Amino acid sequence: ARAGCSVCFRRNVCSSPSRLQSMSAWVIDQYGTNGVLRYTEEMTVPTVNFANEVMIKVNAASLNPLDVSMRGGYGAKMLKLRRDPLSVMDSGSEFPLILGRDVSGVVVDCGSEVTHFNPGDEVWAAVPPWKQGSLAEFVTLTEYEVSHKPKLLSHIEAASIPYVANTALSALVNAGGLCRDSTSNKRVLITGGSGGVGTFAIQLLKAWGAHVTVTCSQNAEGLVRGLGADEVVDYAAGDAAEQLEMMDKFDVVLDNVGGDTEQWVMGLLKPWSGAKYVTLVTPLLFNTDSMGLLDGMFHAGFTLHNKAIQNVISSGVFYRWGFYAPDGPALDEICKLVDEGKILPVVEAQFPFTQVPQAFQKLEQGHARGKTVIKVA
Ligand code: NDP
């Protein structure tokens, strides 16, 4: 790394983006419905403040269900704690808050200890929910959270992948116990296979050699089969559970739907064989929002513990919660699969930066078939 400024840790002390005072962004100043989204050109530029940070000029961002939920205040208590554990922030407020979890863009500045990136590099990343998001001209992340973007993808295509990739990888590897070398011929069921996480997880699991069964609406069958799904069950047909019961049992279930699903899906797992149920739909943040941090975490931990014990005692099946985790090196691995043509971006809709509220409306309507992306620059 080149020598940097010992005061501010920036490597390119006089680079022009760092001298910019303000940038354009979509922000919220309070939680609520779509009306709280506000466009501004007066947002403070997130310059490099630590030696391990990378400042990115955003070309494209994408939306996830979490953005709609966070706009309404979901997770506010837990995320506030994560942003400011010692409550030392001047304002004590998270506002103005920038949403947007995925970014594809170009590095414009690096801290003095950054070793893997240089200004001018094209990168992609999933922005942790406790950081200012990517619906802005610039975003600043730690080096660990960033990865070089696949060369074959446009920024729009690249922005559709990082958050669902980091989520699916964390859920399947950390909670589901799968990895590239241990997944061959494993039978995996993905519920909600037509959405952002599902369309990515199908492709990842096929690249790892799994046999993949998917539940989705009938009109998504062509999409998920095109991505490699071996068996597809229409959950709206009324007999999804019956159809799935007639199949061989599964080694892993990745549940993107939650609710009642976990009750009928547990019986589809191979008993006493280390099979795992992993759900992405967990009550943790709902609990901390409604009960407060301590009670909410205690209640969530109690629920998880009880369900895990019940399932392991009754059928030898592991019950787990999956979570997004920031992980640039994991995106490096995904980049290789994209370069090999094993993972394709699934961009359902694209909006210009002027139409961020319309993109939120699209997401709120549900029935996603892949991802909704925003062209920022
Ligand atoms: P999306 O909104 O992109 O996709 C959801 C998909 O599920 C849609 O295609 C929808 O299509 C389909 N669907 C809805 N109901 C059912 C059903 N009963 N059976 C089968 N398919 C159904 O969401 P994501 O893929 O981005 O995320 C999935 C879930 O995981 C969300 O609840 C999200 O909040 C959560 N999540 C949790 C994370 C964590 O850290 N714990 C991280 C990321 C996501 P249609 O309605 O037309 O059938």
Side-chain angles (χ1 to χ4, degrees):
R2 282 173 274 158
C5 168
S6 60
V7 177
C8 67
F9 300 110
R10 285 207 331 271
R11 211 200 275 176
N12 300 320
V13 177
C14 295
S15 65
S16 54
S18 305
R19 281 186 292 150
L20 278 174
Q21 294 294 307
S22 59
M23 65 172 184
S24 55
W26 282 89
V27 300
I28 60 171
D29 305 300
Q30 59 179 309
Y31 296 118
T33 54
N34 231 20
V36 298
L37 287 165
R38 174 174 69 89
Y39 176 76
T40 175
E41 294 183 353
E42 301 299 320
M43 197 62 194
T44 307
V45 171
T47 48
V48 167
N49 281 321
F50 295 95
N52 64 348
E53 284 186 335
V54 175
M55 180 175 169
I56 300 164
K57 176 151 182 28
V58 180
N59 279 72
S62 86
L63 295 185
N64 294 274
L66 179 66
D67 291 304
V68 174
S69 305
M70 278 178 68
R71 190 201 63 199
Y74 173 74
K77 288 191 180 136
M78 185 71 107
L79 294 173
K80 199 167 182 177
L81 178 74
R82 187 70 174 72
R83 277 180 206 115
D84 187 18
L86 302 175
S87 298
V88 292
M89 271 184 350
D90 286 348
S91 67
S93 163
E94 62 271 45
F95 302 119
L97 182 66
I98 306 175
L99 302 172
R101 304 271 65 89
D102 296 274
V103 52
S104 180
V106 179
V107 173
V108 289
D109 201 2
C110 298
S112 58
E113 285 175 12
V114 169
T115 53
H116 287 87
F117 303 97
N118 282 300
D121 288 358
E122 292 198 324
V123 293
W124 63 346
V127 182
W130 52 88
K131 294 196 169 177
Q132 287 288 44
S134 54
L135 294 174
E137 251 182 290
F138 298 98
V139 66
T140 293
L141 297 169
T142 65
E143 177 175 35
Y144 176 76
E145 291 155 348
V146 180
S147 161
H148 285 103
K149 156 188 167 293
K151 292 195 173 42
L152 295 178
L153 299 190
S154 66
H155 285 295
I156 292 284
E157 292 170 327
S160 69
I161 293 179
Y163 189 75
V164 293
N166 276 164
T167 299
L169 270 165
S170 159
L172 292 169
V173 175
N174 302 335
L178 298 174
C179 69
R180 189 182 52 191
D181 302 324
S182 70
T183 304
S184 187
N185 297 322
K186 287 259 164 66
R187 290 180 52 77
V188 182
L189 171 65
I190 302 174
T191 64
S194 48
V197 176
T199 51
F200 176 84
I202 294 169
Q203 301 184 78
L204 178 70
L205 288 163
K206 288 311 294 176
W208 286 354
H211 180 280
V212 177
T213 302
V214 164
T215 68
C216 62
S217 302
Q218 200 230 329
N219 67 8
E221 176 167 356
L223 170 68
V224 298
R225 281 209 191 272
L227 298 173
D230 298 289
E231 310 274 357
V232 181
V233 172
D234 171 12
Y235 76 88
D239 60 349
E242 265 172 50
Q243 284 188 56
L244 288 163
E245 273 160 20
M246 282 157 59
M247 296 177 181
D248 289 344
K249 292 208 183 296
F250 297 94
D251 297 289
V252 173
V253 172
L254 176 63
D255 187 0
N256 295 302
V257 174
D260 295 345
T261 311
E262 74 177 49
Q263 274 138 39
W264 58 265
V265 113
M266 297 304 296
L268 303 173
L269 284 160
K270 290 179 186 168
W272 307 107
S273 67
K276 294 174 188 76
Y277 167 84
V278 182
T279 180
L280 287 176
V281 186
T282 82
L284 177 62
L285 296 187
F286 280 115
N287 284 0
T288 52
D289 287 338
S290 60
M291 300 177 198
L293 283 171
L294 276 181
D295 283 357
M297 282 196 280
F298 177 77
H299 202 268
F302 188 71
T303 306
L304 176 61
H305 179 261
N306 275 356
K307 289 186 178 184
I309 295 280
Q310 260 170 29
N311 283 296
V312 89
I313 289 176
S314 63
S315 54
V317 161
F318 293 95
Y319 174 97
R320 298 203 168 145
W321 289 350
F323 293 99
Y324 151 83
D327 191 345
L331 291 179
D332 292 344
E333 293 303 309
I334 298 307
C335 182
K336 286 182 203 153
L337 293 175
V338 172
D339 287 342
E340 290 166 15
K342 292 181 177 163
I343 289 185
L344 301 172
V346 185
V347 178
E348 181 190 14
Q350 184 182 323
F351 290 83
F353 199 43
T354 50
Q355 290 183 11
V356 165
Q358 287 88 331
F360 271 78
Q361 268 167 9
K362 152 86 187 75
L363 221 71
E364 269 181 294
Q365 285 159 8
H367 309 300
R369 300 287 178 262
K371 295 298 305 284
T372 293
V373 182
I374 315 283
K375 187 176 188 306
V376 177

